[in-house]
Amino acid sequence: MNDTPSTGAWRRLRTRPSAVVAAAVLAALALLALGAPLLTALEGQDPTTYHDQLVDSARGGVPYGSFGGISADHWLGVEPGTGRDLFARLLYGARVSLLVALGATVVQVALGVAIGLAAGAGGRLLDSVLSRFTDVLVALPMLVFAVALTAIVPAGFPRPLLLILVIGLLNWGGTSRIVRAQTLSLRQRDHVAAARLAGRTPTQIARRELLPALAAPVLTYAALLVPTNIVVEASLSFLGIGVTPPTSSWGQLLSTATTWFRADPLYVLLPSGCLLVTVLACTVLGDAVRTALDPRERSRLAVGTRAAARPPKGATR
């Protein structure tokens, strides 16, 4: 029984140990973020309560005890200066960081696919206008515009939603370029020409012939956008224009941890380690998805399998 492209890609992903490990790490991080209220309730803490008695005011707020005040009541210690539970703030910070990264990726992919497909499948004038607009957007200093936009928005606007919109609306240019290039290539294929001769409308051709073929490059690029957006959110929070206290995110934790790296190294290592593991897992999984969905990779695997199955000349079975 022959595999369909989707089942074949899924089978190849499952046989790659690096992809399985990366997916397991991301699933574990997602479960920890979703289960933050339950896990912090088991610990008996929350991310906003101050514990002034756990920090040494004479030393500027350094936590009492070793390793940042780790104890049975505070599994990862407490935050310097405030005494807030670090385990709870890391878990709730994961919710914000992952939500912003995934939400911004959805916005980027939706806009990039729509504009790139319209540019590649439309006429020459539409392609020229949309391509020049995309080039201008890619050339803009994204971080500067993000700082300006987040500064003028009213303080009552939900900050995670604002970050999703800012990152997504300013960073879809790369996706659009990839989709446009793939669409221009697909327009020359026989099945698209046959659909055009059969009298199908441009909308039908885009939906039935072009979009399914664009799934592989778009999914691969989306998997690589997630870690990029995590770093962008961390950068904006580090600059003080991301989520506002008492809301926690990994970037917001790092923005305050830089002044404590000598007195409490664990306070710096924990959020930065979470960022490193997440970015590495997303990158490895994205590369595995690209390999699994690449038609040329499938051809090489198939040729290698046939060559291995064919006995050498003169050999007997």
Side-chain angles (χ1 to χ4, degrees), residues 238-254:
F238 181 81
L239 293 174
I241 55 174
V243 295
T244 55
T247 304
S248 174
S249 78
W250 290 342
Q252 197 257 352
L253 287 173
L254 280 174

Side-chain angles (χ1 to χ4, degrees), residues 290-302:
R290 178 194 59 79
T291 304
L293 294 176
D294 189 357
R296 291 170 295 181
E297 184 70 17
R298 292 204 297 270
S299 300
R300 287 193 291 269
L301 289 173

Side-chain angles (χ1 to χ4, degrees), residues 76-265:
L76 294 179
V78 296
E79 187 178 54
T82 65
R84 292 180 292 192
D85 185 76
L86 192 53
F87 176 73
R89 292 189 64 75
L90 275 175
L91 290 184
Y92 278 90
R95 300 181 111 192
V96 174
S97 294
L98 296 178
L99 174 64
V100 169
L102 292 174
T105 300
V106 171
V107 175
Q108 288 171 259
V109 170
L111 287 175
V113 169
I115 295 176
L117 187 60
R124 181 173 300 178
L125 178 60
L126 181 62
D127 182 20
S128 178
V129 171
L130 293 178
S131 296
R132 298 295 79 76
F133 178 64
T134 303
D135 292 341
V136 171
L137 182 72
V138 172
L140 291 176
M142 191 279 299
L143 193 59
V144 175
F145 273 81
V147 170
L149 288 174
T150 53
I152 63 176
V153 173
F157 195 86
R159 216 63 179 182
L161 178 58
L162 175 61
L163 291 175
I164 289 173
L165 294 176
V166 167
I167 297 173
L169 294 175
L170 293 177
N171 273 347
W172 53 263
T175 308
S176 177
R177 282 181 166 181
I178 291 174
V179 172
R180 175 185 174 274
Q182 291 291 324
T183 302
L184 290 175
S185 175
L186 291 170
R187 287 179 59 183
Q188 312 303 320
R189 303 288 176 87
D190 292 338
H191 64 95
V192 178
R196 194 180 298 114
L197 291 174
R200 291 184 180 175
T201 64
T203 303
Q204 291 175 329
I205 293 175
R207 187 176 68 251
R208 299 179 183 178
E209 308 296 337
L210 298 178
L211 280 178
L214 290 170
V218 169
L219 288 175
T220 302
Y221 192 64
L224 299 177
L225 281 176
V226 174
T228 302
N229 290 335
I230 290 176
V231 174
V232 172
E233 183 277 326
S235 302
L236 293 174
S237 295
F238 181 81
L239 293 174
I241 55 174
V243 295
T244 55
T247 304
S248 174
S249 78
W250 290 342
Q252 197 257 352
L253 287 173
L254 280 174
S255 69
T256 57
T258 53
T259 58
W260 300 96
F261 68 95
R262 290 184 181 274
D264 188 6

